[in-house]
Amino acid sequence: PGFCCGTQGFHQGSAVEHKASTRDLLWNTRLPPGFCCSAMVYFEQLKESQDAWEVCAEALAKGIYSDDHVKFFCFQVLEHQIKYRHGGLSPAQQQLIRETLMKWLQLQLMNSQPEKPFIRNKAAQVFALTFVMEYLTHWPKFFYDLLSLVGLNPHGVDVYLRTLMAIDAEVVDRDILHSPEEVRRNTLIKDSMREQVIPSLVESWYQILGTYQQSHPEITCQCLEVVGAYVSWIDLNLIANDRFVNLLLSQMSVEDLREEACECLFEIVNKGMDPTDKTKLVESLCQVLQSAGFFNVEEEEDVDFLAKFSRLVNGMGQSLVLSWTKLAKGGEVKDAAESLSAIEAKVPLLLQLLVHDDDDISANIVGFCYDYLNVLKQFPLLTDQQKTNVEAIMLAVMKKLTYDEEYNFDNEGEDEAMFVEYRKQLKMLLDRLAQVSPELLLEAVGRVFNNTVQRWQTASFMEVEVAIRLLYMLGEALPASHGAHFSGDTAKTSALQDMMRTLVSSGLSGYQHTSVSLEFFETVVRYDKFFLVEPQHIPNVLMAFLDHRGLRHSSPKVRSRVAYLFSRFVKTLQ
């Protein structure tokens, strides 16, 4: 209550009296966990004050407050001053800001306990803003001052790393819109950093990674995140060398570090570079990872790590495909062949990850799989091994399209929505498989479909649903003019016609599960032109539409959808 009452006379008295009262009020206030409205109004007034920020700066430099909220607000006031009024400050005031930050940082080195993370993050933002404003003019030794002060003190290193990430957000992050003037400034900052300080920063990262690997895994993970963020715009040779990469690979074997190490390696392989050099880099990484046992996916039980690892493998695979594309277009036959060989050597690993029970792990490798099929699409003839790879991918896609037993059809939530999105990715693979080898796809789907329908009465709903689903998806994977799937290409026509005949005459429409019922009617309407070729099946299908299997089904969801599908079906028959 006393704090709120103190806001009443904010604008009264001289500037000196106001500054003194501000200091007294802040220094003697112990804020509760939630500020009252009057306090928040007062704090906003402090931000706009011409001189209150100096009181906040003094408080931070001397470490006067123990209350986290007050410390956080002091940084907010300082942040506001730097962001909106820096240009109007005198040289002495700008120097005061620099000294305040360094004194605050020095206090952190002596504290037995670090500040709360939200305070450290806010401090890092203020350091980063000051850097952006002054690095090119007043504070060219910004990083050297930080590094010489923090050394390898864990509290100081933590703030240093957070500051580097905040600088990345201010200067590099492409998701943040910048004005043309800010873009020019940021480009100058990066150029200057590359010329003057990046090698020293990289050396500091190497020392941090080596020093804190065992004692402070959280700091090591922070440092790995920094390396991953900066590698996109610095000289890759500073990172992609035996010394640094071997250190990163060693951390792949440390349980607390390996997920972040995976992310860091992913950023390294995603770095744009010469295609031949990229192939060599990826291959050297793969050789070390394989020799260390990381390719034995079946033996790994940590699905969170495997999700990161599959993303890394996806990045390596897509990088190799991009290298092959550039080399092939450039007519560099020998190097292109080496890239292709490297790609195909990863297919067994790709398949292990694609068929993994965890859909997140599988989804992370879809990009590489799609790009590999795009490579094969460009060859007039496939080798026997490539055909084997295509068939294995087909079987993997068919398996992963299958619903899980826990899928809740009556109350679809977030997990179900994610699976629907994942199925869309798998459909893209199926479409691409059809472009690579329509004959193999027809044969594979026909085999799965016929084997399942022959035993539909004892098969699980997941097996039956996906068998019909595959037949439905063929209609889009193997497009025909105006839906004329039953004329033209004899091989395709007869295969589809045989499967449709089996579908409508097998009694499968009576399977008691909503997913199967819906898939049956969707497929019948998808291939409505079939009934113009074999009209003798129309009566049986009409009965299915009209009785308990369709319009009289116990599920409102089925009845509603069937009503719409029935109207479409009748229009075709007319």
Side-chain angles (χ1 to χ4, degrees), residues 450-463:
N450 289 320
N451 288 342
T452 304
V453 174
Q454 285 173 9
R455 53 182 181 84
W456 71 264
Q457 291 171 314
T458 58
S460 67
F461 83 86
M462 300 97 72
E463 293 176 280

Side-chain angles (χ1 to χ4, degrees), residues 161-198:
L161 294 172
R162 289 174 192 268
T163 299
L164 286 172
M165 289 306 298
I167 288 172
D168 178 75
E170 290 288 337
V171 176
V172 182
D173 194 334
R174 293 187 178 92
D175 293 331
I176 299 175
L177 291 176
H178 293 290
S179 66
E181 183 181 346
E182 289 172 335
V183 171
R184 285 192 294 272
R185 178 204 66 193
N186 292 345
T187 300
L188 287 173
I189 288 174
K190 286 189 289 185
D191 289 344
S192 180
M193 286 178 66
R194 277 189 282 251
E195 291 175 12
Q196 299 172 14
V197 76
I198 287 297

